[in-house]
Amino acid sequence: MRWTPRSLAEQTGRSFVITGANSGIGLEAARELVSRGATVVLACRDTVKGQRARDQILRGAAGSALVLPLDLTDLDSVSAFGHDLRNHLPALNGLVCNAGIMGGPRANTKQGLERQMGTNHFGHAALIAGLWSQLEQSAGRVVLVSSIAARGGNLSATSSREDLVDPQPYIAGQVYARTKQANLLYAQELHRRAMAAGSPISVLACHPGVSATNLFGRLLREQGRGWLAPFAGPALRLVAQSARAGAAPTLRALEHSTPSGAFVGPAHLGQFRGSPELLEVYPGGADTAAAARLWDLTAEVLGASVPV
């Protein structure tokens, strides 16, 4: 049977955190969850945009939403978010690691990590570790949003710390592919470790296909080609699916019936679009030696890891 967002079960009494929920896929996932009675925390760097998104989501909705500040490029902000969340939610049913950046000129996070890997991987890894105990209380779910770009990642069992934090030479597209491969590798390794430890938490990964979000417009602006952004949207919509359709894999990954360790995404047109299905993990994301190496390097960089 074809799975659509309408297939999502009732969510009353359940609570979720979605990073980057003020636009695109995160916004659509939050909208669907709140419409079914959930409480969703919109974890956003720009809280003004977050409040606007919250106002949209709550119109006629059965659930509730709140905005809390989170800057994944600053590990101090990630830590503060965890403390803040505990004052609002004693337990947590799901964490969606959705926020991300793609391409752009070389830049670093506050702690000196390469910005794309620092945001897409390290910031989320730190967030998962900080919220793990709350997730365990509710046998919650962790969903890492990857990308079809992960197929181009080249992380391996011999990757170095510098490959992650200070890649040389800096090729923006290659670094982005590595970050999305890292999302897959980390999800698979965390799933295996949680299972081995007897943790009730499920860990999954998904990808949205090619979806019409503001990610491409932001990339054009960072490249100094912002004048193309008004034209990029209509052109993208000719080949891409909507942000709502792109959020469907995330929502299916949150469904209790989807098994831990699964990889969810569209399967049609080279996985560009279509209803969410259970997919084979890309070879680069299924490499257990590469995943173990990434786990160790992540713990080294962050100075901590998920307690499993």
Side-chain angles (χ1 to χ4, degrees):
M1 179 183 295
R2 181 172 176 268
W3 201 98
T4 73
R6 292 183 180 179
S7 307
L8 186 66
E10 173 69 27
Q11 299 294 319
T12 300
R14 295 170 63 78
S15 56
F16 301 87
V17 168
I18 302 179
T19 66
N22 60 281
S23 65
I25 290 164
L27 172 62
E28 295 303 325
R31 192 194 312 274
E32 294 289 347
L33 290 167
V34 172
S35 74
R36 285 160 176 76
T39 294
V40 177
V41 176
L42 283 63
C44 306
R45 182 171 57 180
D46 188 329
T47 55
V48 173
K49 290 181 179 178
Q51 290 293 349
R52 290 181 192 143
R54 177 183 177 274
D55 292 343
Q56 289 182 39
I57 288 169
L58 291 180
R59 289 173 190 156
S64 60
L66 65 150
V67 178
L68 292 180
L70 173 66
D71 183 353
L72 290 166
T73 68
D74 181 359
L75 296 176
D76 293 334
S77 173
V78 175
S79 178
F81 176 87
H83 291 296
D84 200 7
L85 185 68
R86 282 188 283 275
N87 292 328
H88 290 85
L89 297 175
L92 186 61
N93 296 104
L95 167 62
V96 178
C97 298
N98 164 79
I101 57 174
M102 179 177 69
R106 171 63 194 261
N108 287 343
T109 68
K110 183 178 179 181
Q111 283 75 28
L113 311 175
E114 187 281 319
R115 186 179 61 161
Q116 289 192 82
M117 188 66 76
T119 302
N120 300 356
H121 171 60
F122 286 117
H124 279 128
L127 183 64
I128 293 168
L131 301 183
W132 192 255
S133 62
Q134 285 173 273
L135 287 158
E136 281 203 312
Q137 291 180 48
S138 301
R141 302 199 142 221
V142 175
V143 177
L144 288 97
V145 180
S146 183
S147 164
I148 57 175
R151 293 182 288 200
N154 60 2
L155 296 175
S156 71
T158 60
S159 292
S160 68
R161 185 180 189 277
E162 287 67 35
D163 290 333
L164 300 177
V165 304
D166 187 23
Q168 300 291 340
Y170 183 76
I171 303 172
Q174 179 60 69
V175 172
Y176 179 73
R178 284 179 181 174
T179 72
K180 296 290 102 179
Q181 180 194 9
N183 292 151
L184 267 183
L185 287 168
Y186 204 73
Q188 291 294 303
E189 184 69 10
L190 185 53
H191 158 70
R192 286 188 287 266
R193 288 173 178 264
M195 290 282 287
S199 172
I201 296 177
S202 298
V203 186
L204 306 91
C206 67
H207 82 78
V210 177
S211 302
T213 69
N214 63 4
L215 198 62
F216 296 96
R218 186 186 310 149
L219 175 60
L220 289 171
R221 287 189 290 273
E222 289 190 346
Q223 292 175 337
R225 296 187 289 172
W227 61 272
L228 285 173
F231 306 101
L236 184 61
R237 284 191 286 273
L238 291 175
V239 295
Q241 57 187 6
S242 67
R244 183 172 186 270
T250 294
L251 296 168
R252 184 166 186 182
L254 288 172
E255 279 276 23
H256 182 72
S257 60
T258 307
S260 183
F263 180 39
V264 186
H268 300 295
L269 295 177
Q271 298 190 3
F272 272 40
R273 61 191 304 152
S275 58
E277 301 180 22
L278 302 189
L279 307 173
E280 290 291 328
V281 179
Y282 305 142
D287 185 334
T288 55
R293 178 62 174 163
L294 177 66
W295 181 273
D296 291 341
L297 289 172
T298 301
E300 178 185 324
V301 170
L302 296 179
S305 63
V306 177
V308 290

